[in-house]
């Protein structure tokens, strides 16, 4: 992937279009400068060969020199300067020779100079037009040289930037804690990160190409898709999530690609174990619900028989009974009804858990629900001499609900309030509405609920401060069933209370108009 750098090229020699003049006398240089200046040629007169060679180092467009100025020492110094030029530079030199010299053999003093690249000999006398043509051609050639030099400098800068960028990329790839591969589109692996080699166990020399990798680690499968099953050097199978992106073209024209991976083996094993555990829990929960439903059904059959036979005995069908026997039959009937109520709670809970509850949603007036429950709880209220006030009997709100299940929720909440309200207490039912819901609140003057237990009371089989010796009967399912039913009908059941200050339960349902 490394770029091949050209010999170092520096722009130390400044771009210039000036023609340096070196003549035997200063007056000759002034005359030449005047003539060339009139034609738009920039000139620079040099007093000696040292001035000329110094100007060559800083930058010139061309050199115009008279043969007479090239004595032995000056000639040797000029040759050294010409040979010391950078590889891109070939400074044009025009030498004015003596009259008739070029028609014979080139003088020995000029022969070595004449063999240098880009040296032109002009025999005097020379026409101004000819001299101008030669110099302009030399300056144009020099301009192209400067252009080439600038292109080489820019290329060198870009290649150096590429080398530095490649070095940073290699360092970054090697430093990341994830598997990373730098490779070309035709399958050459340029670099594997330390994490890649560590996780797979393969030595770098074993993975020179993509084909090496796929044959050893992917069982010959193509390196495609975003999920790989990788076989390590030790034979272990690992799961990788993979993503590849093109980075750009290399100097040789091939595309460079980066493939990064994350080892997700442990994560997927955890997901699989959680999935299995969830499936086992759901199966166990379903089996539990089915068992409770079956047992509740099986228990209700004999309980109904007990109720029927005790009622027949109380009616005297089997013969007359005395007052003591009648009281015993009444106790049997009360306990049978209580036990049947508990079993019904369990059956309803099992149905909800199993998802077997069906809802018949329809518009229902809230006041109709409240009026229908009062006769059902009247015996409980009378038994404990509790005052009950229905302030919602005139409520005109119409909700979308299953009337039977809404009534069951209200009865459960009222029964719970009666259970935990002492003799002579007060229970009040009210109704209020918002823009899209109706809310039935039931407030009692009972013992209240600790604030940290307000959510726990809605959990199955939970009753606050209950024990085996408690005087409060029940399974602890009524509120749990009621909240589940309320939520499945688009409403909710919540509680507000403080210990010793009674409790308020709020049962909300969507208004029928908000669902139309």
């Amino acid at each position: 992937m490394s770029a091949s750098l050209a010999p170092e090229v520096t722009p130390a020699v400044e771009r210039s279009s000036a023609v340096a003049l070196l003549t035997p006398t200063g007056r000759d240089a002034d005359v030449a400068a005047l003539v060339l200046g009139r034609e738009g040629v920039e000139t620079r007169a040099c007093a000696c060969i040292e001035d000329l060679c110094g100007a060559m180092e800083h930058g010139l467009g061309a050199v115009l020199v008279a043969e007479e100025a090239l004595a032995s020492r000056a000639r040797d110094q000029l040759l050294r300067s010409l040979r010391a030029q950078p590889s891109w530079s070939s400074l044009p030199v025009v030498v004015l020779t003596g009259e008739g010299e070029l028609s014979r053999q080139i003088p020995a003093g000029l022969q070595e100079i004449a063999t240098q690249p880009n040296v032109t000999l002009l025999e005097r006398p020379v026409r101004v037009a000819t001299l101008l043509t030669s110099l302009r051609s030399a300056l144009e050639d020099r301009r192209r040289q400067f252009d080439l030099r600038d292109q080489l400098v820019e290329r060198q800068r870009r290649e150096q930037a590429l080398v530095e960028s490649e070095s940073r990329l290699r360092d970054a790839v090697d430093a990341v804690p994830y598997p990373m591969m730098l490779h070309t589109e035709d399958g050459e692996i340029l670099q594997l990160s330390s994490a890649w080699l560590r996780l797979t166990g393969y030595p770098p020399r074993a993975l020179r190409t993509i084909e090496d990798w796929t044959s050893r680690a992917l069982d010959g499968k193509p390196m495609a898709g975003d999920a790989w099953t990788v076989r390590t050097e030790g034979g272990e199978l690992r799961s990788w999530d993979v993503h590849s992106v093109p980075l750009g073209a290399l100097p040789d024209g091939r595309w460079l690609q980066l493939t990064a991976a994350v080892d997700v083996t442990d994560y997927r094993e955890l997901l699989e174990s959680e999935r299995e555990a969830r499936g086992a829990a759901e199966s166990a929960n379903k089996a539990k619900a089915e068992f409770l439903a079956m047992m509740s059904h099986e228990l209700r059959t004999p309980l109904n028989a007990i109720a029927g036979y005790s009622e027949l005995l109380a009616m005297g069908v089997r013969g007359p009974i005395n007052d003591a026997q009648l009281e015993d039959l009444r106790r049997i009937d009360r306990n049978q009804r209580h036990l049947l109520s508990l079993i019904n709670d369990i059956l309803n809970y099992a149905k909800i858990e199993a998802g077997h509850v069906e809802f018949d949603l329809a518009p229902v007036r809230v006041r109709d629900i409240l009026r229908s429950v009062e006769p059902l709880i009247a015996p409980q209220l009378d038994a404990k001499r509790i005052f009950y006030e229905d302030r919602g009997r005139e409520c005109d709100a119409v909700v979308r609900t299953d009337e039977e299940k809404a009534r069951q929720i209200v009865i459960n909440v009222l029964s719970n309030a009666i259970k935990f309200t002492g003799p002579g207490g007060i229970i009040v039912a009210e109704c209020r509405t918002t823009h899209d819901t109706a809310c039935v609140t039931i407030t009692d003057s009972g013992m209240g609920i600790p604030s940290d237990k307000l959510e726990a009371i809605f959990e199955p089989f939970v009753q606050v401060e209950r024990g085996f010796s408690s005087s409060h009967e029940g399974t602890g399912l009524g509120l749990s069933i009621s909240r589940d039913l309320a939520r499945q009908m688009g409403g909710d059941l919540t509680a507000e209370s403080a210990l010793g200050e009674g409790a308020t339960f709020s049962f909300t349902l969507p208004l029928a108009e908000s669902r139309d």
Side-chain angles (χ1 to χ4, degrees):
M1 190 167 69
S2 299
S4 177
L5 290 178
E8 184 175 0
V9 179
T10 60
V13 180
E14 298 177 2
R15 180 183 285 266
S16 174
S17 60
V19 177
L21 304 177
L22 181 62
T23 60
T25 65
R27 185 174 181 282
D28 292 340
D30 292 340
V31 172
L34 180 61
V35 172
L36 295 175
R38 288 175 179 172
E39 299 298 331
V41 178
E42 179 186 356
T43 59
R44 184 182 304 171
C46 298
C48 60
I49 190 65
E50 288 78 15
D51 289 348
L52 175 62
C53 293
M56 289 172 60
E57 293 178 0
H58 291 91
L60 288 173
V63 172
L64 177 62
V65 59
E67 176 187 0
E68 295 80 8
L70 294 177
S72 177
R73 184 183 65 81
R75 184 173 62 249
D76 293 341
Q77 192 165 350
L78 177 60
L79 283 170
R80 286 195 296 271
S81 295
L82 290 174
R83 291 165 179 166
Q85 294 180 91
S87 59
W88 60 269
S89 177
S90 181
L91 178 64
V93 178
V94 177
V95 179
L96 299 177
T97 68
E99 182 178 358
E101 285 189 352
L102 298 185
S103 61
R104 303 185 300 271
Q105 187 176 358
I106 297 175
L110 291 179
Q111 196 161 10
E112 195 170 4
I113 292 287
T115 59
Q116 297 301 307
N118 229 2
V119 172
T120 302
L121 302 180
L122 291 180
E123 186 179 45
R124 289 177 289 191
V126 61
R127 296 172 62 87
V128 173
T130 303
L131 180 60
L132 286 171
T133 300
S134 298
L135 289 177
R136 284 170 177 162
S137 177
L139 291 174
E140 177 62 21
D141 180 62
R142 188 60 169 168
R143 184 189 64 77
R144 293 194 187 98
Q145 292 178 29
F146 280 124
D147 288 345
L148 175 62
R149 187 274 312 271
D150 292 345
Q151 291 174 10
L152 291 174
V153 169
E154 178 62 18
R155 176 183 174 184
Q156 187 178 56
R157 185 192 66 78
R158 291 181 180 178
E159 289 180 343
Q160 183 61 35
L162 180 61
V163 169
E164 294 173 357
S165 175
E166 175 189 333
S167 177
R168 290 194 299 269
L169 177 60
R170 285 186 178 276
D171 291 343
V173 167
D174 196 58
V176 294
Y178 307 107
M180 278 195 175
M181 174 196 289
L182 283 175
H183 57 97
T184 62
E185 60 182 340
D186 60 355
E188 180 186 359
I189 296 178
L190 302 175
Q191 183 184 0
L192 294 172
S193 67
S194 297
W196 190 298
L197 298 173
R198 184 181 69 255
L199 291 174
T200 63
Y202 292 110
R205 62 181 179 276
L207 303 175
R208 303 284 188 183
T209 66
I210 296 297
E211 184 179 358
D212 294 339
W213 166 251
T214 56
S215 62
R216 299 189 66 163
L218 301 183
D219 294 332
K221 298 176 182 177
M223 204 169 69
D226 56 3
W228 295 353
T229 299
V230 176
R231 185 182 301 278
T232 67
E233 177 75 357
E236 182 184 6
L237 295 179
R238 307 292 295 179
S239 296
W240 284 12
D241 278 353
V242 186
H243 186 62
S244 295
V245 292
L247 297 182
L250 295 171
D252 60 10
R254 295 181 301 170
W255 272 89
L256 176 65
Q257 291 186 306
L258 173 67
T259 295
V262 178
D263 190 322
V264 294
T265 306
D266 295 340
Y267 173 71
R268 290 188 176 177
E269 288 177 352
L270 177 62
L271 285 181
E272 184 61 29
S273 63
E274 288 182 350
R275 190 179 299 111
E276 292 176 356
R278 189 183 306 111
E282 290 174 352
S283 297
N285 195 50
K286 182 180 179 181
K288 176 195 71 176
E290 291 175 350
F291 171 77
L292 290 175
M294 180 191 68
M295 290 302 298
S296 298
H297 178 74
E298 293 297 324
L299 287 172
R300 284 200 300 178
T301 300
L303 284 173
N304 287 331
I306 292 172
Y309 281 113
S310 63
E311 186 176 352
L312 290 174
L313 291 174
M315 293 172 60
V317 173
R318 300 297 184 182
I321 57 174
N322 56 37
D323 291 343
Q325 291 172 330
L326 183 59
E327 180 58 29
D328 288 340
L329 289 173
R330 287 174 178 169
R331 287 179 180 175
I332 292 173
D333 183 64
R334 284 197 300 272
N335 283 279
Q336 178 272 337
R337 291 180 182 276
H338 173 62
L339 184 56
L340 185 61
S341 174
L342 298 181
I343 292 172
N344 283 335
D345 282 348
I346 295 175
L347 181 60
N348 289 332
Y349 172 72
K351 285 182 177 180
I352 292 174
E353 285 285 288
H356 294 162
V357 178
E358 296 181 358
F359 295 89
D360 182 17
L361 301 180
V364 180
R365 292 191 180 279
V366 173
R367 67 186 181 196
D368 294 340
I369 298 174
L370 292 175
R371 289 175 180 176
S372 66
V373 300
E374 187 170 353
L376 301 177
I377 61 171
Q380 301 175 61
L381 294 169
D382 293 342
K384 298 184 70 173
R385 301 186 307 281
I386 294 174
F387 174 75
Y388 172 71
E389 182 180 2
D390 179 8
R391 298 178 183 173
R393 63 174 48 249
E394 302 302 327
C395 180
D396 290 329
V398 178
V399 294
R400 185 175 178 81
T401 187
D402 184 311
E403 184 174 2
E404 179 183 347
K405 292 178 177 60
R407 185 182 298 110
Q408 179 184 348
I409 293 171
V410 175
I411 291 174
N412 285 347
V413 175
L414 284 170
S415 297
N416 190 76
I418 295 170
K419 184 189 302 182
F420 293 100
T421 299
I426 300 172
I427 298 175
V428 178
E430 297 179 276
C431 175
R432 64 177 186 274
T433 60
T434 65
H435 71 283
D436 60 352
T437 63
C439 179
V440 174
T441 60
I442 297 174
T443 304
D444 64 63
S445 60
M447 64 181 66
I449 306 167
S451 58
D452 61 339
K453 303 294 183 182
L454 287 175
E455 284 299 316
I457 61 174
F458 293 104
E459 295 296 323
F461 306 105
V462 171
Q463 288 185 334
V464 177
E465 297 186 356
R466 288 287 308 274
F468 291 118
S469 61
S470 171
S471 60
H472 303 297
E473 300 174 337
T475 60
L477 286 172
L479 292 178
S480 174
I481 292 172
S482 297
R483 172 176 273 190
D484 285 342
L485 291 175
R487 289 180 172 177
Q488 290 189 54
M489 292 188 295
D492 203 359
L493 180 63
T494 58
E496 297 177 9
S497 180
L499 194 61
E501 298 181 6
T504 297
F505 284 81
S506 299
F507 170 35
T508 60
L509 284 172
L511 293 174
E513 292 80 2
S514 68
R515 294 295 184 92
D516 290 343

